[in-house]
Amino acid sequence: MHDPENLYEVDSEVPDLTGAVLLHHFDGFMDAGAAGRLLADHLLSTYENRVIARFDVDELIDYRSRRPLMTYATDHWEDYAKPELVVRLLHDDAGTPFLLLSGPEPDQRWERFVNAVHSLVERWGVRLVVGFHGIPMGVPHTRPLRVIAHATRAELVSEHQPFFNRVQVPGNVAGLIELRLGEHGQDAMGFAAQVPHYLAQSNYPTAAVTLLDAVARATGLSWKIDKLLEAAQRTDAEIHRQVAESDEVGQVVEALERQYDAFVQTQAMGDDIPSADELGAEFERFLAEQQRPPDL
């Protein structure tokens, strides 16, 4: 058994974090509308933060599958954008400390990585671990976005209505973190914003706003949201303009509105709602579209 502490380094000056919340978001898996990334970026750009733990990316990342950028200047190599997988310490509007684990999703050694995250959770006395991202769904942008909530205990998501009974999707390290922490009796949960499938490849701040609200309600943390709301309003206005200029797109949106309204009215899974197989196929298609072209 490998020592999990061999996979990370911790700052020697970490305050008492007993009862803190650990948020996490990883680049590389599904994040329709860049919902999770936009939320993580919003927190990092809005609140002062510092790195308190750093993972050994050489042990976790396959550089040839997603090559880091290097800068060449005239006659020499000037810079190398080394990937970072780190835990940062932040404080919300009330001064409450919380943690954010972010960076590229590990390509390998998932169990070792998850074991290391569990080690940090125990070391710092974290009370709750929360992940967030976006998924592509057959929903219209003209209706309120919903989130799919899941957790290691049903009580953690009691205010959210279940959306699926059972479905298999491609594996991801965020899901594995929640699964393994639950096996250790640790509270963990996650939120997936339902992003209109026709906006899955774009930045969709409205989905990030929806995630932020869900995470804030679950954790009790309070954050400024003005900049994210402004970005969402600008994006929504542009989407409405483009839809108005295309009869074909407008018809698609209207069809999705009818489907959405029927689902909300019945509050039951009907033939018009994507099946588990259809959802799995949508996930696979989304992931395939994220793959970069082969190296030249």
Side-chain angles (χ1 to χ4, degrees):
M1 180 69 68
H2 294 282
D3 183 350
E5 295 189 7
N6 290 336
L7 207 57
Y8 60 77
E9 294 181 350
V10 176
D11 192 313
S12 60
E13 298 181 1
V14 178
D16 182 9
L17 296 172
T18 303
V21 170
L22 169 65
L23 309 180
H24 61 82
H25 174 72
F26 304 101
D27 299 323
F29 181 58
M30 179 176 307
D31 190 22
R37 178 178 59 78
L38 289 172
L39 173 51
D41 288 349
H42 172 73
L43 294 176
L44 292 175
S45 64
T46 304
Y47 298 94
E48 293 185 4
N49 60 86
R50 67 181 178 92
V51 174
I52 62 171
R54 189 181 304 275
F55 285 88
D56 184 356
V57 292
D58 275 352
E59 289 291 316
L60 300 168
I61 303 300
D62 179 359
Y63 294 104
R64 292 195 299 174
S65 70
R66 38 183 167 175
R67 295 177 182 271
L69 294 177
M70 296 182 67
T71 302
Y72 182 82
T74 309
D75 58 359
H76 65 282
W77 292 106
E78 184 177 75
D79 184 52
Y80 168 57
K82 181 180 179 179
E84 286 192 322
L85 185 54
V86 300
V87 180
R88 290 181 170 88
L89 172 62
L90 305 88
H91 293 79
D92 75 350
D93 290 336
T96 304
F98 68 96
L99 304 166
L100 175 60
L101 166 58
S102 62
E105 180 185 43
D107 294 302
Q108 54 204 12
R109 299 178 175 85
W110 279 13
E111 293 288 3
R112 281 193 64 195
F113 174 71
V114 171
N115 193 30
V117 172
H118 178 226
S119 173
L120 289 173
V121 165
E122 289 193 325
R123 177 175 186 157
W124 292 327
V126 170
R127 67 175 174 86
L128 179 64
V129 178
V130 185
F132 45 85
H133 67 123
I135 60 171
M137 295 289 289
V139 296
H141 69 280
T142 52
R143 298 293 187 267
L145 292 186
R146 293 187 168 194
V147 296
I148 297 174
H150 42 82
T152 54
R153 290 190 298 115
E155 294 83 357
L156 294 173
V157 290
S158 59
E159 68 176 70
H160 297 273
Q161 183 175 357
F163 196 80
F164 300 110
N165 290 326
R166 189 178 187 87
V167 61
Q168 287 189 318
V169 299
N172 59 94
V173 82
L176 188 59
I177 286 175
E178 184 177 317
L179 176 65
R180 294 290 184 248
L181 289 180
E183 292 171 349
H184 287 285
Q186 169 70 41
D187 282 349
M189 61 193 306
F191 296 102
Q194 299 181 18
V195 176
H197 62 81
Y198 50 88
L199 299 175
Q201 301 298 325
S202 307
N203 285 347
Y204 191 44
T206 299
V209 171
T210 300
L211 284 177
L212 187 147
D213 179 67
V215 175
R217 290 167 64 90
T219 62
L221 296 170
S222 59
W223 296 303
K224 296 181 180 69
I225 196 174
D226 294 349
K227 291 183 179 179
L228 204 54
L229 279 176
E230 291 173 2
Q233 291 168 354
R234 290 194 300 270
T235 301
D236 287 345
E238 177 61 20
I239 293 170
H240 284 298
R241 183 190 68 78
Q242 293 185 20
V243 171
E245 293 178 353
S246 172
D247 291 338
E248 181 179 354
V249 174
Q251 291 173 4
V252 171
V253 173
E254 289 177 2
L256 289 173
E257 289 173 339
R258 291 192 295 270
Q259 173 178 292
Y260 181 96
D261 292 342
F263 172 64
V264 171
Q265 183 177 2
T266 60
Q267 289 294 292
M269 297 293 287
D271 292 338
D272 290 335
I273 301 301
S275 68
D277 288 341
E278 291 170 335
L279 179 64
E282 188 70 41
F283 282 2
E284 295 283 8
R285 186 159 48 250
F286 180 84
L287 290 173
E289 290 171 353
Q290 301 303 298
Q291 299 299 315
R292 293 183 177 181
D295 296 327
L296 298 178

